[in-house]
Amino acid sequence: MINKPYEAIIVGSGATGGMAALTMAKAGVRVLVIERGPELEINRANGTEPCNMIRRLIGVTTGNYQNQPQHPGFWKSNPLLYANKKANPYTHPPKAPFMWTQGNQVGGRSLTWGGITLRLAKEDFEASKEKEYNLEWPISYKDIESHYSDIEKFLKIYGSKDDLNQLPNGEYIGRIPFTESEEKFASNVKEKLNLPFIHSRGFGANKDKTIWPRSSSLGSTLKEAIRLGKVEMLSNHIVEKLVLNKNRNAAKSIIIVNQCTGERSEIESKLIILCSSTIQTIRILLSSEEKNNPNGLIDPSQSLGRNLMDHISTCRFFTVPIDKNLTNYSNKDNKSLLTGAGSFFIPIGRDRSSKYNFVGGYGIWGGIDRFEPPDFLKKYKDTKTGFLIGHGEVLPNNKNTVSLSKNTDQYDISIPHISIVWRENEHQMVREMNRMIELIINSGNGTIIPANEILNIPFTKKILNKSVAIRNDAPPPGYYIHEVGGAPMGNNKENSVVDNWNRVWECSNVLVVDGACWPTSSWQSPTLTMMAITKRACEKAIIDFKG
């Protein structure tokens, strides 16, 4: 059992947990990081083929993996990094599916993160003040600008300074070149449509499988935090709830459950930082709230668990003809890997004009010749294969909720009930994203193809025909793994759960810094912003703590 007097407890060890641990460790604060999953050796986390494929197939046939096979990452990563749904249950309304991807291991979902690092823009924070939004950011771009820069420099990410209002410049070590097919495609799209077409921003490939990738907390933030000697890990323990003091104005401890023995215990701390991913953080807060726990957490706004969001997405695959004048035409072993930075981005952003019937912004991520099948498996010869994925902003809606189910898990902990559906604004956005994607492909001399025709293998058609990613309408919520909201930041406790420094209003020694604290979803990939918000909140907590 943990006996040391830790000054701060961090719940979760992924992108935000690692950032919180590093910020605290740099300030000399003694930290315990609690992770519900195991600590994996790097060889076990990576796995090998064909063993990984055997695990995938067994998981699919037994029903342990139900939603995960819908995600492309599931088929290129070790399936052990995707939580078994039977052992980690949740519920949703029968007609409103939610595809929740959990990463329960030290490092969390950072071990399977795609690694795209986009900043939110000034306009994204300001847009929340418009009448269509029922929640408003209490911070501005300027409040986290320096934190963005510090994190980008530390992580050593790739990108280019494109001077776009909808996507601020960052601090980059260079950029990963386009493939020649992408270069030609970009030239056509820019000339015909005058759209911003930029190198994607993020991480390159991790070619050395003996070290953790820098996109993971284990290869960057958490690694450095542990090296500084102030951080210890407690893995395989679930945080059930907070325990408040007699006055209910601060948390004195947390209740944890040992997954190996089922034993419950209590750990005290002066500061508790919730970084366990949006839905798990909401579950912990709901389990601690006075409606579900005598003498529990007070939520004056009565909004805890409301306004859950995810990005809405749509995808198209296409081919472009091979230009035999390109230098890589004869290179059959072309290995331009698809990564967060090894790809391109078309950041459309926001348009407040009246020509569209939706509110919000969106962007389009893509790549060509990044996952090229062998010639003998391709249905369309003398072509290169590409994809475009649009992902767009979802408006906060208090009917999109996370609550506690009447069902419990094997440790008698209430499981999340997730209820969220796409509404008319999102459907309008998807229609516009599809129109734009098709326009871009046509302008780039591409030809849209069904996903089940990428490979000329009969049995793959049956598998891909069931994929939600290739439907004309949007995949269900959760698919894009960008869930945010449910315990939003705000300027007053009547309409928010935490203040502008991420402190729970009535329990100021509890910080909520992961995606749960977001008032709006914006449209950019959220992880970099989550890390910047975490760093800002933790630095403020250190000042308060020392004061």
Side-chain angles (χ1 to χ4, degrees), residues 485-503:
M489 303 172 71
N491 283 316
N492 61 73
K493 60 185 178 182
E494 283 71 38
N495 62 7
S496 58
V497 176
V498 301
D499 67 13
N500 62 326
W501 292 104
N502 299 83
R503 301 170 296 200

Side-chain angles (χ1 to χ4, degrees), residues 8-33 147-156 214 216-233 271 273 275 513 531-532 534-540 542 546:
I9 289 175
I10 296 171
V11 183
S13 61
T16 56
M19 192 73 252
L22 179 57
T23 307
M24 290 289 160
K26 282 183 174 180
V29 179
R30 296 189 305 277
V31 174
L32 176 67
V33 178
H147 302 290
Y148 276 139
S149 295
D150 290 345
I151 295 168
E152 289 162 341
K153 290 174 184 176
F154 174 77
L155 293 178
K156 296 180 172 60
R214 286 193 67 79
S216 71
S217 61
L218 287 173
S220 55
T221 51
L222 192 57
K223 173 185 175 182
E224 178 64 11
I226 292 172
R227 187 192 70 78
L228 292 172
K230 291 291 183 178
V231 177
E232 292 190 33
M233 286 292 314
L271 180 67
I273 308 172
C275 307
V513 296
M531 295 173 74
T534 299
K535 180 173 175 291
R536 174 182 179 269
C538 288
E539 287 181 357
K540 170 63 172 172
I542 290 166
K546 291 185 175 180

Side-chain angles (χ1 to χ4, degrees), residues 177-305:
F178 289 143
T179 65
E180 288 186 296
S181 297
E182 289 170 346
E183 286 276 11
K184 188 171 183 180
F185 188 79
S187 178
N188 287 328
V189 172
K190 289 177 182 178
E191 178 183 348
K192 296 176 183 178
L193 299 180
N194 193 31
L195 290 174
F197 197 113
I198 67 173
H199 292 80
S200 187
R201 302 169 180 180
F203 296 89
N206 181 40
K207 297 180 180 179
D208 186 351
K209 300 301 181 183
T210 65
I211 61 173
W212 297 104
R214 286 193 67 79
S215 57
S216 71
S217 61
L218 287 173
S220 55
T221 51
L222 192 57
K223 173 185 175 182
E224 178 64 11
I226 292 172
R227 187 192 70 78
L228 292 172
K230 291 291 183 178
V231 177
E232 292 190 33
M233 286 292 314
L234 178 63
S235 59
N236 269 321
H237 282 72
I238 299 174
V239 173
E240 181 180 16
K241 60 185 177 182
L242 309 170
V243 179
L244 273 59
N245 62 14
K246 291 182 179 180
N247 296 326
R248 291 202 288 170
N249 60 2
K252 68 171 186 176
S253 61
I254 58 172
I255 302 297
I256 60 173
V257 180
N258 185 325
Q259 289 219 73
C260 298
T261 66
E263 178 187 0
R264 278 174 167 76
S265 55
E266 185 173 350
I267 307 180
E268 294 188 354
S269 178
K270 296 178 181 178
L271 180 67
I272 298 167
I273 308 172
L274 299 181
C275 307
S276 57
S277 83
T278 295
I279 293 172
Q280 287 291 6
T281 287
I282 296 170
R283 177 197 61 77
I284 293 169
L285 291 172
L286 287 171
S287 297
S288 310
E289 203 257 343
E290 59 182 348
K291 292 179 183 176
N292 301 301
N293 187 34
N295 301 314
L297 185 69
I298 300 169
D299 171 29
S301 70
Q302 299 294 301
S303 64
L304 178 60

Side-chain angles (χ1 to χ4, degrees), residues 94-138:
K95 295 183 179 180
F98 185 86
M99 303 180 70
W100 189 19
T101 295
Q102 302 177 67
N104 296 337
Q105 59 271 329
V106 174
R109 295 194 305 199
S110 75
L111 299 188
T112 54
W113 179 28
I116 296 177
T117 56
L118 306 180
R119 295 187 180 197
L120 268 63
K122 178 181 177 182
E123 64 183 24
D124 296 302
F125 294 97
E126 293 177 347
S128 67
K129 299 176 183 178
E130 301 292 335
K131 62 181 181 180
E132 294 88 354
Y133 294 84
N134 60 34
L135 295 173
E136 181 179 330
W137 282 96

Side-chain angles (χ1 to χ4, degrees), residues 476-494:
Y479 173 78
Y480 216 64
I481 323 180
H482 286 175
E483 61 269 12
V484 295
M489 303 172 71
N491 283 316
N492 61 73
K493 60 185 178 182
E494 283 71 38

